[in-house]
Amino acid sequence: MPLTFSVECFYIVFEDEIHQTIVENNLFKPGDRVAIGASGGKDSTVLAYVLSELNHRHKYCLDLFLLSVDEGITGYRDDSLETVKRNEIQYGLPLKIISYKDLYGWTMDDIVKAIGLKNNCTFCGVFRRQALDRGAALLKVDKIVTGHNADDIAETVLLNILRGDIARLSRCTFITTGEDGPIPRCKPFKYTYEKEILDYFSTECIYSPNAYRGFAREFIKDLERMRPRAILDIIKSGSPQQQGCQSKEHKLCKACVLLDGLNRGLPKLGVGRTKGVAGGDSDCEQQAKRPERSRSSLQGKHGNIDF
């Protein structure tokens, strides 16, 4: 007979498991300034609440901030940012919003007009990672925490296997990444199933239904129905065993290559694997914001696009 919990008991067990994950993995130390990547979705909203509660209950002595990225997606991000603003008031946490428009001179709506729906998630993922780093630097935080859960990590492991990207296979399972960089990132929900993240609302990005990750997500759900431990088993399969090549002979980060392609009217220039390009999280000496352009500067085989 399956074990059942009351709602109140579930909350207690859920929060205790997150606390144990934090303590056992030494995610924080007293006095740390921590930015919570807040999208307004279910994972980051629950993370902000739980981390705020645990910080008070267990006296982590952390300075917590909400950090949001406005990608410029009409009808999606503008609505979810309203949720983040409500969280700012409800949880009493300072909020910093940083936008693609301010950083790069492009919104995701603009980028989709230029690139189409097929590769838009490549641009958004690379730009968002760099935007979080830049926002965190402005807040002068010691760490960034994100709401990536066990399902998300299992999906990433599966995607890296399908793509043959062995170099990233073990790295994507780490609970803390970027420790060799300026601002490490950690995932307190690493062992938390998506279905456990209750009492939330969810909105889906209007540009994401065709994303490759969606197919991996459905496959993992099918596996979980047949074998409940499948998600954790997939994460374990990607744990560190053998490292691939980690060459650092790069000149431009992925974000700058993508941005350069957009500004030159060649939006597909940086899509896919580009030789001599870094992973995308570091800043480059290249100026991030695009120069002023005429209204019809994207020309050629893509036609004229006015913004």
Side-chain angles (χ1 to χ4, degrees):
M1 186 174 180
L3 185 65
T4 59
F5 293 96
S6 68
V7 174
E8 292 77 10
C9 288
F10 172 80
Y11 290 152
I12 292 171
V13 172
F14 179 85
E15 292 168 3
D16 283 348
E17 286 182 349
I18 304 305
H19 171 62
Q20 289 302 317
T21 298
I22 290 171
V23 171
E24 290 174 3
N25 292 277
N26 298 311
L27 296 188
F28 312 116
K29 63 180 185 295
D32 275 350
R33 293 169 62 89
V34 178
I36 302 169
S39 67
K42 63 185 187 306
D43 300 312
S44 64
T45 299
V46 173
L47 177 61
Y49 172 77
V50 171
L51 194 53
S52 179
E53 286 292 306
L54 295 179
N55 189 37
H56 292 296
R57 185 183 307 163
H58 297 287
K59 296 180 172 55
Y60 294 161
C61 299
L62 305 176
D63 289 327
L64 300 177
F65 303 85
L66 297 175
L67 175 58
S68 292
V69 176
D70 181 2
E71 300 94 339
I73 304 175
T74 305
Y76 166 68
R77 182 54 70 215
D78 43 2
D79 291 338
S80 60
L81 283 176
E82 291 304 313
T83 299
V84 176
K85 292 174 183 177
R86 288 196 295 272
N87 293 341
E88 175 189 17
I89 298 171
Q90 292 169 337
Y91 308 152
L93 301 177
L95 169 64
K96 175 70 176 177
I97 300 176
I98 194 161
S99 73
Y100 284 8
K101 186 69 173 178
D102 291 339
L103 287 179
Y104 309 117
W106 291 78
T107 66
M108 273 308 299
D109 287 344
D110 294 337
I111 292 171
V112 168
K113 290 177 184 177
I115 192 68
L117 290 172
K118 185 175 181 181
N119 296 301
N120 59 88
C121 288
T122 297
F123 286 83
C124 197
V126 172
F127 285 172
R128 189 191 302 113
R129 285 191 293 271
Q130 190 182 85
L132 278 174
D133 283 340
R134 293 188 177 192
L138 291 174
L139 290 172
K140 298 180 179 179
V141 299
D142 302 292
K143 284 188 176 178
I144 302 171
V145 295
T146 61
H148 292 95
N149 56 51
D151 298 58
D152 296 325
I153 299 171
E155 290 165 14
T156 303
V157 170
L158 185 58
L159 286 172
N160 286 331
I161 292 173
L162 293 174
R163 292 167 177 162
D165 198 343
I166 304 303
R168 293 187 183 182
L169 190 56
S170 63
R171 188 176 66 200
C172 72
T173 65
F174 293 167
I175 195 167
T176 300
T177 58
E179 291 183 286
D180 55 345
I183 305 176
R185 300 184 184 200
C186 52
K187 300 182 280 284
F189 285 172
K190 176 180 177 178
Y191 301 110
T192 305
Y193 294 117
E194 185 176 38
K195 63 188 178 184
E196 293 179 311
I197 301 175
L198 303 176
D199 235 5
Y200 62 83
F201 83 96
S202 177
T203 54
E204 184 180 22
C205 173
I206 60 175
Y207 296 136
S208 69
N210 295 323
Y212 192 30
R213 176 176 289 272
F215 297 102
R217 180 177 298 120
E218 291 303 314
F219 178 62
I220 285 173
K221 293 301 180 189
D222 289 339
L223 287 177
E224 187 185 21
R225 280 189 283 270
M226 293 183 290
R227 177 180 168 81
R229 278 195 54 87
I231 290 174
L232 294 183
D233 288 341
I234 291 173
I235 293 174
K236 185 178 179 181
S237 73
S239 297
Q241 292 183 18
Q242 187 173 4
Q243 297 290 336
C245 175
Q246 300 289 333
S247 173
K248 295 185 178 180
E249 296 179 2
H250 303 301
K251 295 182 180 179
L252 293 179
C253 74
K254 184 70 171 179
C256 285
V257 172
L258 291 172
L259 186 60
D260 181 56
L262 288 171
N263 291 336
R264 290 168 55 187
L266 300 170
K268 296 184 179 180
L269 180 66
V271 176
R273 297 185 182 180
T274 307
K275 193 172 183 179
V277 176
D281 293 337
S282 62
D283 289 342
C284 298
E285 294 180 0
Q286 175 179 329
Q287 181 69 22
K289 193 171 182 178
R290 66 174 174 179
E292 291 297 322
R293 305 176 299 144
S294 64
R295 286 179 55 82
S296 59
S297 59
L298 289 183
Q299 302 178 2
K301 64 178 180 180
H302 301 287
N304 296 337
I305 300 176
D306 290 339
F307 299 105

